[in-house]
Amino acid sequence: GAGVSQSPSNKVTEKGKDVELRCDPISGHTALYWYRQRLGQGLEFLIYFQGNSAPDKSGLPSDRFSAERTGESVSTLTIQRTQQEDSAVYLCASSLRWDSGNQPQHFGDGTRLSIL
Amino acid sequence: KQEVTQIPAALSVPEGENLVLNCSFTDSAIYNLQWFRQDPGKGLTSLLLIQSSQREQTSGRLNASLDKSSGRSTLYIAASQPGDSATYLCASNNYGQNFVFGPGTRLSVLP
């Protein structure tokens, strides 16, 4: 079956523009995570969705960042009024319910975002 | 708040050597610990997941151990190959928190 799919794979935009990143999780995976990875650095947690529960937004760095997910399907991460420090690879991961048998996360290849 | 560290930051070994990568975490109340590899320009590939009740997991040439009392996990790679060259990350999943990742160990296996 298909893995986690992210689009676009690369995005170059001017400072101040809004961008929307998309993640298609593995079918049947109820948990979905967004992470940011700056060049040469580790992964920063951004937001977590679990089924129809309220998302955990504790990792979002500012109110310019938001994410949505409809049910257990596609998620979009939106960055408004982009800044140069937003340049990074944005990774999405999905898993079965985190509390049901220690399910591993499966990652997409990420979206490489460059802000000029 | 959980903090995860990994040493060494980088490692270069000749092909065929056995090697150990280290992961340390500050909060031992973990639900599980997962090891990943990341190839340049790619996402993360899950290698092994150790549940809190387990002490080790094995997959092929890989063996991961977990010692919650000391806050440590190790990833052992036997008979390393050039194809093992990648960055290896560990991540802890704590109760009530999300996954916390270490900074990774960049491994180069020289032919």
Side-chain angles (χ1 to χ4, degrees), chain B:
Chain B
K1 182 181 176 183
Q2 179 72 290
E3 294 184 4
V4 180
T5 56
Q6 291 185 247
I7 55 172
L11 180 64
S12 184
V13 299
E15 180 177 5
E17 273 203 8
N18 303 324
L19 58 98
V20 174
L21 308 180
N22 297 289
C23 173
S24 297
F25 45 93
T26 55
D27 185 350
S28 62
I30 64 172
Y31 193 69
N32 60 53
L33 188 135
Q34 196 168 357
W35 280 93
F36 299 85
R37 68 173 282 168
Q38 185 175 29
D39 294 281
K42 295 291 187 180
L44 279 66
T45 300
S46 179
L47 298 174
L48 290 165
L49 183 148
I50 311 176
Q51 299 180 32
S52 62
S53 59
Q54 298 174 327
R55 293 193 63 85
E56 65 177 341
Q57 282 284 322
T58 298
S59 175
R61 293 181 296 107
L62 306 179
N63 175 278
S65 68
L66 175 64
D67 183 346
K68 288 196 302 178
S69 62
S70 65
R72 295 174 62 181
S73 176
T74 61
L75 179 66
Y76 174 82
I77 304 177
S80 58
Q81 304 172 357
D84 295 332
S85 298
T87 296
Y88 290 80
L89 298 102
C90 65
S92 75
N93 184 1
N94 287 57
Y95 295 98
Q97 301 179 37
N98 286 291
F99 285 88
V100 177
F101 283 78
T105 294
R106 190 171 63 255
L107 174 66
S108 298
V109 181
L110 307 175

Side-chain angles (χ1 to χ4, degrees), chain A residues 36-85:
Chain A
R36 178 171 68 181
Q37 186 175 33
R38 290 188 166 126
L39 185 64
Q41 298 186 22
L43 272 71
E44 299 173 69
F45 164 75
L46 297 177
I47 188 169
Y48 161 60
F49 295 91
Q50 173 58 65
N52 293 317
S53 302
D56 177 352
K57 304 180 181 179
S58 61
L60 294 179
S62 77
D63 58 8
R64 296 187 295 105
F65 287 72
S66 63
E68 293 183 353
R69 187 184 187 196
T70 303
E72 299 178 355
S73 61
V74 170
S75 176
T76 56
L77 176 68
T78 302
I79 308 173
Q80 296 178 307
R81 305 181 301 281
T82 52
Q83 304 294 314
Q84 288 187 328
E85 63 263 27

